[in-house]
Amino acid sequence: MSLTEIFIRRPVMTVLLNIALIAVGLAALGKIPVAALPRYDTPTINVSANLNGASPETMARSVALPLEKQFSTIAGVDAITSTSPVPPASRNVVPNVASWPT
């Protein structure tokens, strides 16, 4: 007698077995740990620009300001941080991941 034949000949046992499997699954579902907010690393874009022989003021005016203006037009950017000590100028752009299309 094959396994399928047993289930065909005994429909009540088949229904009760299915109900038992569903009940065990529902009971186990409540015990599975699920993190509310999973951990992830926020993506960061780092842009570095170099203008040989330029002073920090020149880097800020000629390189940093135009870059910041362009970065500010990008949709979904949370923060833009910048440094312009001695060349190269550095920009960090932190995008808003929640606003990205899926």
Side-chain angles (χ1 to χ4, degrees), residues 20-62:
L21 284 173
I22 291 171
V24 169
L26 290 175
L29 184 64
K31 296 183 182 199
I32 297 175
V34 178
L37 296 172
R39 293 184 52 189
Y40 67 92
D41 293 330
T42 304
T44 302
I45 302 166
N46 187 6
V47 177
S48 180
N50 193 4
L51 186 60
N52 292 332
S55 68
E57 294 82 23
T58 305
M59 285 298 291
R61 185 178 60 252
S62 301

Side-chain angles (χ1 to χ4, degrees), residues 1 17 21 29 43 45 47 69 75 78 80-81 83 91-92:
M1 190 179 273
L17 185 62
L21 284 173
L29 184 64
I45 302 166
V47 177
K69 285 182 180 178
D78 275 350
I80 299 174
T81 58
T83 57
R91 302 288 170 271
N92 289 326

